[in-house]
């Protein structure tokens, strides 16, 4: 067998190390050697010339093998490469105006760490998307696509920005139990779990714990999973989502709306600054948001819907479908809907007062017809809380662990829970929440 006919072998990394990321390969390195590592993301065979794109975490680099300039063995090895293989290439950097980033690498050595055994159902370089289920079944491979890498880099910035913003505003980050004894939100169902010899549940939200923590720390936030057994298949519900939960002492919902809108602006601005490449790749232009965000009361929205001949009664929840029917509704703007009917908000939400028990000090932050966040002033007196719990048919005894702290000076407080994935849907203009989630969980999906 001739050396050049040998099939490509997989090798270990050994002592070989990357010298440059794709983003560091530029014409300053002309005629220097470099070792790049990553994945084969496209191959074009021109007979006597092979164009191979290697993609790493920062981008792409073009490798050009010419039959005349390579050993026969190397040329033959490169010919055998398949998209998705994980490789290292040692080669010489050449300035090349025609190459995508003004440079290309002429290979001297190829090392294949792991071959692509199959042809993947999607191409790394392709922007067009195939069926989401096919992609989710191979999610880690799907995530190699620039489209998704861009989204998740933006997600990373959003998380960092939220943490930075809240920390600067005097909030401390906490973590509260995810295995709990009782429901907090009503509505969405709980996931029961075995807890030793008892039944327990996965937490729907950190609500009661974050409220309790205002007693000691005043301002707290938590970024963590919430679990909801959502029965319906929608493009905006996950069974496991990430919530940015905030709670502040000695304020009401108006202060919290001001905090939330500032946090949104800070986050969007951080993304504009940090993720220029990603935004360009996704063809997104983020809006210049202005303070304050518009506020419409629930009653006002209901009247507007009546004007639009929509069938809705005061007290009904506002579905995205019905909100879409609002005239002049901008689909790409943040706004608040405030002062909701007490009956459709959770038991811990404070009403507008003795005279107006029907309405409560609550808000939803919306983006078009998508709910991004819900918040409110909370009840801080035990009697009021007991009254509301009984009215909503809750088993008061089951909440004893919570109610007992109300004998010891719970401060007036307010807060919100914001769905990170919902915010990302708004920012990246993705219609399906699964796209902005690494490993989505829904009624049909528990793997990968
Ligand atoms: P929706 O009416 O959209 O089902 P909700 O009013 O039941 O949401 P809240 O209890 O107000 O949800 O939770 C606070 C925030 O958490 C929501 O505004 C949303 O951004 C996010 N969220 C709630 N449930 C889910 C879910 N199943 N999947 C993704 N995000 C969610
Ligand atoms: Mn809500």
């Amino acid at each position: 067998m001739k050396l050049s006919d040998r099939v490509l072998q997989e090798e270990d990394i050994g002592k070989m190390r990357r010298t440059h990321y794709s983003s560091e390969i530029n014409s300053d390195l002309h005629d220097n050697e470099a070792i790049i590592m990553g994945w084969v993301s496209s191959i074009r065979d021109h007979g006597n010339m092979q164009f191979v794109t290697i993609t790493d975490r920062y981008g792409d680099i073009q490798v050009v093998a010419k039959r005349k300039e390579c050993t026969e063995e190397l040329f033959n090895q490169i010919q055998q490469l398949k998209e998705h293989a994980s490789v290292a290439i040692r080669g010489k950097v050449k300035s090349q105006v025609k190459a995508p980033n003004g440079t290309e690498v002429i290979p001297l050595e190829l090392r294949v760490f792991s071959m692509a055994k199959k042809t993947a159902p999607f191409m790394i370089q392709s922007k067009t998307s195939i069926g989401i289920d096919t992609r989710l079944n191979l999610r880690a491979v799907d995530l190699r696509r620039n489209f998704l890498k861009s989204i998740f880099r933006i997600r990373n910035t959003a998380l960092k920005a939220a943490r930075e913003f809240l920390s600067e505003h005097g909030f401390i980050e906490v973590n509260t139990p995810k295995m709990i004894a009782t429901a907090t939100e009503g509505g969405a169902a709980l996931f029961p779990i075995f807890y030793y010899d008892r039944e327990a549940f996965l937490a729907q939200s950190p609500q009661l714990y974050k409220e309790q923590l205002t007693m000691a720390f005043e301002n707290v936030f938590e970024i963590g999973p919430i679990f909801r057994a959502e029965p319906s298949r929608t493009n905006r519900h996950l069974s496991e989502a990430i919530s940015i939960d905030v709670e502040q002492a000695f304020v009401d919902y108006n202060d919290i709306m001001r905090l939330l809108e500032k946090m949104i602006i800070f986050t969007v601005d951080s993304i504009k600054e940090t993720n220029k490449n990603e935004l360009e790749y996704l063809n997104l232009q983020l809006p210049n948001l202005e303070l304050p965000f518009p506020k419409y009361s629930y009653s006002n929205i209901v009247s507007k819907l009546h004007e639009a001949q929509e069938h809705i009664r005061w007290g009904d929840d506002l579905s995205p479908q019905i909100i879409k029917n609002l005239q002049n509704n901008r689909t790409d703007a943040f706004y608040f809907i405030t002062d909701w009917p007490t009956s459709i908000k959770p038991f811990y939400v404070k009403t507008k007062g003795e005279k107006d028990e029907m309405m409560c000090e609550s808000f939803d932050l919306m983006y078009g017809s998508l709910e991004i966040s819900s918040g409110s002033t909370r009840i801080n007196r035990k009697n009021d809380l007991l009254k509301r719990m009984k009215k909503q048919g809750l088993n008061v005894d089951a909440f004893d662990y919570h109610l007992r702290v109300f004998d010891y000076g719970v401060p007036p407080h307010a807060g919100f829970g914001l769905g990170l994935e919902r915010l990302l849907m708004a920012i990246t203009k993705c219609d399906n929440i699964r796209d902005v989630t690494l490993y989505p969980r829904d009624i049909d999906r528990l793997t990968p």
Side-chain angles (χ1 to χ4, degrees):
M1 189 166 70
K2 276 200 322 208
L3 201 59
S4 57
D5 292 339
R6 228 176 50 195
V7 279
L8 209 45
Q9 297 288 322
E10 291 175 333
E11 291 177 79
D12 290 341
I13 187 165
K15 291 220 157 52
M16 194 179 210
R17 290 294 177 271
R18 164 195 278 138
T19 60
H20 297 83
Y21 281 109
S22 59
S23 52
E24 296 166 331
I25 303 277
N26 55 42
S27 45
D28 293 349
L29 291 175
H30 181 71
D31 270 343
N32 288 319
E33 254 186 56
I35 298 176
I36 53 173
M37 295 188 181
W39 296 271
V40 175
S41 65
S42 81
I43 308 165
R44 279 178 296 139
D45 187 344
H46 288 202
N48 288 329
M49 272 227 262
Q50 311 271 349
F51 293 89
V52 179
T53 310
I54 304 295
T55 300
D56 64 18
R57 58 191 294 196
Y58 294 117
D60 304 330
I61 192 82
Q62 177 165 291
V63 175
V64 184
K66 295 180 188 151
R67 199 188 285 280
K68 282 187 295 187
E69 290 174 12
C70 277
T71 64
E72 208 182 333
E73 183 188 10
L74 182 58
F75 194 81
N76 174 272
Q77 284 180 337
I78 287 174
Q79 214 154 22
Q80 292 178 52
L81 280 176
K82 284 205 182 73
E83 189 172 313
H84 287 290
S86 138
V87 300
I89 284 180
R90 183 171 63 81
K92 203 162 238 185
V93 178
K94 292 279 174 198
S95 302
Q96 169 57 270
V97 272
K98 278 184 261 166
N101 24 14
T103 37
E104 58 188 24
V105 170
I106 311 297
L108 298 166
E109 180 186 351
L110 165 70
R111 189 171 298 194
V112 177
F113 300 125
S114 174
M115 294 282 277
K117 309 284 187 302
K118 292 182 183 165
T119 309
F122 39 77
M123 316 256 285
I124 298 186
Q125 300 282 4
S126 158
K127 277 194 192 186
T128 52
S129 185
I130 60 156
I132 187 142
D133 274 308
T134 313
R135 295 196 288 108
L136 289 177
N137 287 341
L138 268 181
R139 188 57 158 170
V141 185
D142 186 29
L143 291 170
R144 273 190 194 148
R145 296 188 309 126
N146 257 331
F147 174 76
L148 290 169
K149 279 199 294 192
S150 301
I151 287 176
F152 287 98
R153 287 208 203 97
I154 288 173
R155 179 188 192 272
N156 180 55
T157 307
L159 276 171
K160 268 172 71 172
R163 284 204 164 91
E164 187 185 331
F165 176 87
L166 290 167
S167 166
E168 300 253 296
H169 283 76
F171 287 77
I172 73 161
E173 184 163 3
V174 298
N175 295 97
T176 64
K178 300 302 156 214
M179 296 187 286
I180 56 160
T182 49
T184 55
E185 300 302 295
L190 289 154
F191 285 109
I193 54 170
F194 293 110
Y195 191 77
Y196 304 102
D197 58 350
R198 268 166 295 168
E199 185 185 48
F201 303 96
L202 294 177
Q204 288 168 310
S205 97
Q207 184 62 35
L208 305 185
Y209 292 103
K210 66 172 179 171
E211 286 191 54
Q212 292 195 10
L213 291 173
T214 63
M215 298 177 71
F217 302 106
E218 299 198 19
N219 302 357
V220 296
F221 77 98
E222 173 165 8
I223 301 181
I226 56 172
F227 302 93
R228 297 182 180 203
E230 304 281 359
S232 51
R233 295 170 176 82
T234 76
N235 278 347
R236 63 181 201 286
H237 289 101
L238 297 164
S239 329
E240 178 174 348
I242 298 296
S243 173
I244 302 178
D245 262 279
V246 168
E247 205 66 30
Q248 182 170 8
F250 305 110
V251 295
D252 74 4
Y253 73 142
N254 288 308
D255 303 278
I256 290 295
M257 279 188 272
R258 278 193 289 274
L259 182 80
L260 174 53
E261 64 193 3
K262 269 163 63 185
M263 184 173 111
I264 297 286
I265 290 188
F266 183 79
T267 305
V268 169
D269 286 348
S270 300
I271 293 169
K272 276 188 202 165
E273 210 167 295
T274 315
N275 298 104
K276 293 196 174 82
N277 291 342
E278 287 78 9
L279 292 172
E280 195 183 304
Y281 185 85
L282 295 172
N283 204 4
L284 288 174
Q285 216 152 14
L286 298 188
N288 291 321
L289 300 173
E290 272 170 39
L291 289 173
F293 291 175
K295 288 191 187 71
Y296 308 96
S297 70
Y298 168 90
S299 299
N300 183 242
I301 298 269
V302 169
S303 325
K304 280 191 192 179
L305 285 167
H306 284 160
E307 281 163 30
Q309 312 294 323
E310 287 301 317
H311 186 73
I312 182 169
R313 280 170 313 189
W314 197 96
D316 290 348
D317 208 348
L318 302 175
S319 66
Q321 287 73 22
I322 198 150
I323 289 194
K324 279 189 186 138
N325 293 321
L326 277 176
Q327 263 151 21
N328 311 323
N329 186 33
R330 282 182 49 198
T331 54
D332 59 347
F334 289 102
Y335 63 97
F336 288 108
I337 303 179
T338 66
D339 303 330
W340 290 72
T342 308
S343 57
I344 53 173
K345 287 289 173 189
F347 70 86
Y348 49 78
V349 176
K350 189 175 182 289
T351 61
K352 295 278 284 180
E354 294 280 293
K355 281 185 232 98
D356 208 352
E357 298 270 300
M358 297 276 283
M359 279 198 283
C360 56
E361 296 193 356
S362 57
F363 63 84
D364 276 9
L365 174 67
M366 308 292 296
Y367 180 80
S369 59
L370 184 68
E371 179 185 323
I372 306 291
S373 169
S374 284
S376 62
T377 312
R378 325 299 194 181
I379 296 174
N380 71 312
R381 280 190 290 267
K382 190 174 190 173
N383 275 342
D384 298 340
L385 198 56
L386 276 169
K387 217 165 73 189
R388 276 290 293 293
M389 291 177 83
K390 286 180 187 147
K391 210 168 188 171
Q392 301 212 350
L394 290 165
N395 175 6
V396 172
D397 295 336
F399 288 91
D400 179 59
Y401 75 93
H402 181 59
L403 289 165
R404 71 174 68 145
V405 304
F406 282 72
D407 291 330
Y408 303 92
V410 174
H413 60 289
F416 65 82
L418 177 150
L420 175 64
E421 294 86 0
R422 298 270 180 99
L423 178 63
L424 283 169
M425 285 172 78
I427 290 174
T428 63
K429 302 218 177 343
C430 278
D431 293 332
N432 193 336
I433 197 165
R434 291 162 188 81
D435 263 324
V436 299
T437 310
L438 285 171
Y439 293 102
R441 289 285 175 268
D442 62 34
I443 193 164
D444 302 309
R445 186 172 284 280
L446 193 54
T447 60

